[in-house]
Amino acid sequence: RRVSPSPPPMERKKDKIATTAVHDKHCYSAPPPTESQILVFTVLFACVSTLPKVSKIDDVATVSTLSTPLFDDVISTRTLGWIRISIATIFFLATSYRMAT
C-alpha cells in the first residue's frame, strides 16, 4: 500500500480552516459595535426630526417641489425626469432579476 506524503503543516492548517469555515453549520456573528449603533440612531433621530409634521405635509409635498431642480442653471426639468426614470428602471430591472432567480 502506497502512502501519499502529507502536506507541510502550514498547508494543512489553512486547509482545515477553510473547510471548517465552509462546512460549519453553526456560524455566529457578533453584534455591531456600540459606537456604530449610537451613530446610526443619532443620524436617524436627526433625519426624522427634520421631517414635516403630518398636518403640514400638504403645504410641503407639492408637485412643484418634487419636479423643480435645485440648480436650474445646471440641470433642466426634462434632464431631471430622465435621470429619475433611468434610476427607477435600474431598480425595476434589478428587482425583477432577483425575483426571477
Side-chain angles (χ1 to χ4, degrees), residues 15-97:
D15 190 33
K16 184 175 182 182
I17 291 172
T19 56
T20 305
V22 171
H23 298 296
D24 188 13
K25 293 183 180 179
H26 302 289
C27 295
Y28 298 105
S29 62
T34 307
E35 299 85 13
S36 299
Q37 291 177 349
I38 292 171
L39 177 67
V40 166
F41 286 120
T42 303
V43 171
L44 178 68
F45 179 75
C47 291
V48 169
S49 65
T50 60
L51 289 173
K53 305 293 181 227
V54 176
S55 59
K56 297 181 179 182
I57 197 74
D58 290 332
D59 299 333
V60 177
T62 61
V63 174
S64 64
T65 301
L66 298 174
S67 62
T68 305
L70 291 176
F71 307 104
D72 289 331
D73 54 338
V74 177
I75 187 171
S76 67
T77 305
R78 176 173 285 231
T79 306
L80 178 65
W82 279 113
I83 291 170
R84 290 182 176 177
I85 287 174
S86 302
I87 293 171
T89 303
I90 291 169
F91 287 166
F92 177 75
L93 292 174
T95 303
S96 300
Y97 176 75

Side-chain angles (χ1 to χ4, degrees), residues 5-15:
S6 63
M10 285 300 280
E11 289 182 22
R12 194 178 314 135
K13 187 175 181 182
K14 285 181 185 178
D15 190 33

